[in-house]
Amino acid sequence: MSTAADILVDTLISWKVEVVFGLPGDGINGIMEALRTRQDRIRFIQVRHEESGAFMACAYAKWTGKLGVCIATSGPGGAHLLAGLYDAKLDQAPVLAVTGMQYHDLIETFTQQDVDLTRVFNDVAVFNAQVSDAAHMESLAGLACRSALTKRGVAHLSVANDVQEQPLAAAKRSKRNQPGHAPNTLFEGRRLPAEAELDKAAALLNEASRVAILAGRGALGAAEELGRAAELLAAPVAKALLGKAVLPDNHPHSTGGIGMLGTLASQEAMEQCDALLIVGSTFPYIEYYPQPGQARGVQIDRDGQRIGLRYPVEAGLVGDAAETLRLLNQRLVRKQNRGFLLRIQASMERWRGMMAVAEEKTDAPLKPQTVAKAFGSRLPDNAILASDSGQNTELAARHVDMRPGQDYAVSGALASMACGLPYAIAAGIAYPGRPVFAIVGDGGFAMQLGEFSTAVRYGIPLKLLVIKNNMLNQIAWEQMMFLGNPQFGCELQPIDFARAAEAMGGRGFTITRREEVESVLDLAFATPGPVVIEAVVDRSEPMMPPKMPADYARNFRKALPDTPGHEQIEASIAREPAKTMMQAGET
């Protein structure tokens, strides 16, 4: 006789869910048993912390486009999911979270782990329900899956542990709740913009003389159409971080990233354009867009709620990026004047030269750019790359060039630390035949260090580069630039990550000097299985925007004298490329 837990897991299988990430607990014993008896059809991936399980579910959804699923026990187990679920909410990844509860008739009686997780999840979830009995599960399980996929967000089901084990025959079904009335099917269709809006957008772009394009994660899968639009419009393409893999970094129209972690060429494109085409992005840093009134705006997004959210647009095209671009391209006239594009391309070449200066430094201590470039240059054509949040994100954004066939993901709008390793593990679970790589910082990696044992357990072919400067370096620089405060509270107790990797059954390598980089990376990349490469780097190496804003420069100068190690920092910003970036804010 099927129980509520059986109905839930059978429903997941019918929705073609192949993987569930989670950690067992007494609040989900019934669900664990249903998974155990169906392990030939659905795989349970045990994590070491529920937060990682939620990050993995989010990342799995991003990597595959499928529904990501995570489970956690009652009380603290469910609460631990929140960081990963907010990651899914803010980056619009479809995730189903299932949490346990105490016995249904002891809820709100101050019993053990008596936390109303439906109330806790009320902000993060697009669908949020407590399952009352097995008959109720028949209706809710499929609806939760459909809601997450349709609304591209988090769905949550909270199930008391005794309800999980309740047979369907024991449920007191109401007369209106007929068995089988809710189909386990997702009904989808193409959504395309109105012809009049397409005509309006094309006319605006055809009239402009200096068009720039901003592409984000919503443009993944539309590379051909995006490249065609860029060619017709003679437009440079700046990429939001989540859209790093949209176009290869060596594409003639690509200017790399935008914003704090971006390139000078992307910033100049935004400062000089007279029209902006935004494709699948709500890049949050408004200060890096053109000034309102400077450029006319066109935006393509599958979610109409996000049109005009960051920059005022005159034409909003609600629809799939590839299909919409295809229709738009049919209306565009190839621009004969390519001067704007050529100027930005020349700026991009200068930027690459500046980055090469940082990457090729040979002085001690070892520079993080050197290691990141060498690591990225070794990635095979089918590589999957994840990064964490912090200075390591800047290194991945600026010093690792994506090629066709490679994929990249990170915690975007949430920008959460501790995401990099779970993202990489999820990639290995989703695509067992592909090599997986990650660039993380010592701060974020330490938060979920034990999860490396999960990579070992499941044989993830992971090469993980740890940028070790014993600092929360991005935070330290933000303290100085944003408010003019000296660095404080950012120093970290050192951890030997290479030895920790060995202790967990993987392999560990350490790089401390420039002359070790190539040989150690060659050895690490030739080593099968999960590998940690610990690079001990210069903690004084600056993390700066491509063009330092004047107020940031003033704040930085104010904070510098009272910051520990300010002499080394002063020497770092006196050298290229930091010197050029800094000068813009001091003139």
Side-chain angles (χ1 to χ4, degrees), residues 3-351:
T3 65
D6 294 329
I7 293 168
L8 170 64
V9 176
D10 285 338
T11 301
L12 296 180
I13 293 169
S14 70
W15 280 85
K16 302 189 175 1
V17 172
E18 299 173 349
V19 181
V20 175
F21 301 94
L23 191 64
D26 65 348
I28 51 172
N29 279 341
I31 296 170
M32 291 303 301
E33 175 63 10
L35 287 169
R36 184 191 70 81
T37 57
R38 291 160 177 80
Q39 58 188 299
D40 58 331
R41 288 173 285 165
I42 189 167
R43 190 179 182 193
F44 174 70
I45 301 297
Q46 185 208 82
V47 301
R48 303 304 291 261
H49 193 285
E50 292 92 351
E51 180 180 299
S52 292
F55 274 129
M56 289 181 199
C58 174
Y60 184 90
K62 288 183 179 181
W63 294 126
T64 66
K66 300 176 183 178
L67 179 67
V69 180
C70 55
I71 63 172
T73 192
S74 53
H80 286 161
L81 294 175
L82 278 173
L85 296 182
Y86 271 104
D87 190 32
K89 173 185 176 175
L90 295 183
D91 284 351
Q92 297 181 285
V95 170
L96 170 64
V98 180
T99 61
M101 298 169 57
Q102 289 303 310
Y103 290 94
H104 80 280
D105 55 355
L106 291 177
I107 295 170
E108 303 291 358
T109 66
F110 310 107
T111 191
Q112 185 183 39
Q113 297 187 343
D114 189 10
V115 178
D116 186 349
L117 291 171
T118 54
R119 196 180 308 167
V120 172
F121 284 29
N122 195 49
D123 177 65
V124 78
V126 298
F127 181 88
N128 187 17
Q130 178 180 327
V131 181
S132 61
D133 62 15
H136 197 205
M137 180 68 85
E138 277 191 320
S139 299
L140 288 185
L143 181 56
C145 295
R146 184 182 298 112
S147 298
L149 287 162
T150 302
K151 296 187 177 183
R152 306 195 67 82
V154 175
H156 171 232
L157 293 176
S158 180
V159 196
N161 56 15
D162 55 328
V163 170
Q164 294 169 33
E165 300 172 9
Q166 182 189 56
L168 181 60
K172 297 180 179 180
R173 185 188 300 273
S174 67
K175 62 182 180 181
R176 286 186 177 176
N177 184 9
Q178 296 298 315
H181 74 271
N184 287 321
T185 306
L186 181 65
F187 299 98
E188 288 188 302
R190 293 189 310 167
R191 185 171 187 181
L192 299 175
E195 294 286 326
E197 282 298 307
L198 284 163
D199 292 339
K200 183 178 179 181
L204 186 159
L205 295 170
N206 285 331
E207 290 170 7
S209 59
R210 302 183 306 279
V211 180
I213 296 175
L214 170 59
R217 182 171 173 268
L220 288 172
E224 182 179 348
E225 295 81 3
L226 183 65
R228 176 61 176 159
E231 164 60 21
L232 289 168
L233 294 168
V237 181
K239 299 182 295 183
L241 187 60
L242 290 179
K244 182 171 173 62
V246 167
L247 279 185
D249 281 301
N250 64 355
H251 190 282
H253 288 265
S254 173
T255 59
I258 184 174
M260 181 78 172
L261 312 180
T263 71
L264 188 57
S266 291
Q267 186 157 342
E268 289 175 348
M270 294 296 143
E271 291 173 349
Q272 298 172 22
C273 68
D274 64 359
L276 176 63
L277 171 59
I278 304 171
V279 184
S281 178
T282 47
F283 173 70
Y285 299 100
I286 296 173
E287 62 269 29
Y288 290 98
Y289 287 79
Q291 291 296 312
Q294 168 201 319
R296 304 176 71 187
V298 175
Q299 186 171 353
I300 299 171
D301 203 290
R302 64 188 170 208
D303 183 356
Q305 185 183 34
R306 295 187 171 234
I307 298 289
L309 189 61
R310 306 290 185 230
Y311 189 79
V313 298
E314 297 178 40
L317 306 179
V318 180
D320 171 79
E323 292 284 350
T324 302
L325 281 170
R326 196 173 296 123
L327 294 171
L328 180 62
N329 288 343
Q330 295 170 5
R331 294 164 164 82
L332 297 178
V333 178
R334 188 179 187 276
K335 294 192 182 298
Q336 299 304 307
N337 186 339
R338 322 291 282 185
F340 176 61
L341 174 62
L342 291 172
R343 290 196 301 275
I344 299 302
Q345 287 174 328
S347 177
M348 189 61 190
E349 285 304 306
R350 291 191 296 272
W351 175 263

Side-chain angles (χ1 to χ4, degrees), residues 3 8 96 198 316 353 418 430 440 454 493 498 511 522 569 587:
T3 65
L8 170 64
L96 170 64
L198 284 163
V440 302
T454 305
Q493 175 67 22
I511 303 171
D522 284 344
I569 297 173
T587 55

Side-chain angles (χ1 to χ4, degrees), residues 205-541:
L205 295 170
N206 285 331
E207 290 170 7
S209 59
R210 302 183 306 279
V211 180
I213 296 175
L214 170 59
R217 182 171 173 268
L220 288 172
E224 182 179 348
E225 295 81 3
L226 183 65
R228 176 61 176 159
E231 164 60 21
L232 289 168
L233 294 168
V237 181
K239 299 182 295 183
L241 187 60
L242 290 179
K244 182 171 173 62
V246 167
L247 279 185
D249 281 301
N250 64 355
H251 190 282
H253 288 265
S254 173
T255 59
I258 184 174
M260 181 78 172
L261 312 180
T263 71
L264 188 57
S266 291
Q267 186 157 342
E268 289 175 348
M270 294 296 143
E271 291 173 349
Q272 298 172 22
C273 68
D274 64 359
L276 176 63
L277 171 59
I278 304 171
V279 184
S281 178
T282 47
F283 173 70
Y285 299 100
I286 296 173
E287 62 269 29
Y288 290 98
Y289 287 79
Q291 291 296 312
Q294 168 201 319
R296 304 176 71 187
V298 175
Q299 186 171 353
I300 299 171
D301 203 290
R302 64 188 170 208
D303 183 356
Q305 185 183 34
R306 295 187 171 234
I307 298 289
L309 189 61
R310 306 290 185 230
Y311 189 79
V313 298
E314 297 178 40
L317 306 179
V318 180
D320 171 79
E323 292 284 350
T324 302
L325 281 170
R326 196 173 296 123
L327 294 171
L328 180 62
N329 288 343
Q330 295 170 5
R331 294 164 164 82
L332 297 178
V333 178
R334 188 179 187 276
K335 294 192 182 298
Q336 299 304 307
N337 186 339
R338 322 291 282 185
F340 176 61
L341 174 62
L342 291 172
R343 290 196 301 275
I344 299 302
Q345 287 174 328
S347 177
M348 189 61 190
E349 285 304 306
R350 291 191 296 272
W351 175 263
R352 288 188 178 280
M354 290 170 58
M355 294 300 99
V357 169
E359 294 158 0
E360 294 166 6
K361 289 178 180 176
T362 59
D363 56 312
L366 175 64
K367 303 301 181 253
Q369 300 93 329
T370 302
V371 185
K373 181 65 176 181
F375 183 85
S377 67
R378 286 169 164 76
L379 302 187
D381 289 341
N382 64 338
I384 304 177
L385 175 66
S387 66
D388 211 283
S389 294
Q391 188 182 30
N392 67 90
T393 324
E394 176 212 14
L395 297 171
R398 288 178 173 170
H399 301 282
V400 177
D401 287 343
M402 302 303 294
R403 301 194 300 275
Q406 296 177 335
D407 289 307
Y408 172 79
V410 68
S411 173
L414 188 65
S416 176
M417 294 174 66
C419 71
L421 177 56
Y423 267 55
I425 293 171
I429 297 297
Y431 298 108
R434 293 178 63 180
V436 181
F437 304 85
I439 300 177
V440 302
D442 47 358
F445 186 37
M447 289 180 175
Q448 294 289 357
L449 180 59
E451 218 62 70
F452 185 76
S453 68
T454 305
V456 173
R457 175 176 184 171
Y458 294 103
I460 307 299
L462 170 64
K463 305 296 178 282
L464 187 144
L465 175 63
V466 184
I467 303 299
K468 180 179 174 180
N469 51 23
N470 301 320
M471 284 282 288
L472 298 172
N473 213 37
Q474 178 175 345
I475 297 170
W477 279 83
E478 288 173 347
Q479 288 177 345
M480 299 174 73
M481 291 189 299
F482 291 176
L483 295 176
N485 296 329
Q487 295 180 7
F488 177 74
C490 297
E491 294 188 5
L492 300 174
Q493 175 67 22
I495 296 173
D496 190 330
F497 294 108
R499 290 180 64 185
E502 299 275 352
M504 287 184 276
R507 292 295 307 278
F509 299 88
T510 299
I511 303 171
T512 60
R513 296 177 296 141
R514 175 69 177 85
E515 53 267 32
E516 297 172 337
V517 171
E518 300 297 331
S519 60
V520 173
L521 286 178
D522 284 344
L523 182 58
F525 272 60
T527 301
V531 173
V532 165
I533 307 157
E534 176 186 74
V536 183
V537 301
D538 187 356
R539 67 191 301 169
S540 300
E541 193 64 17

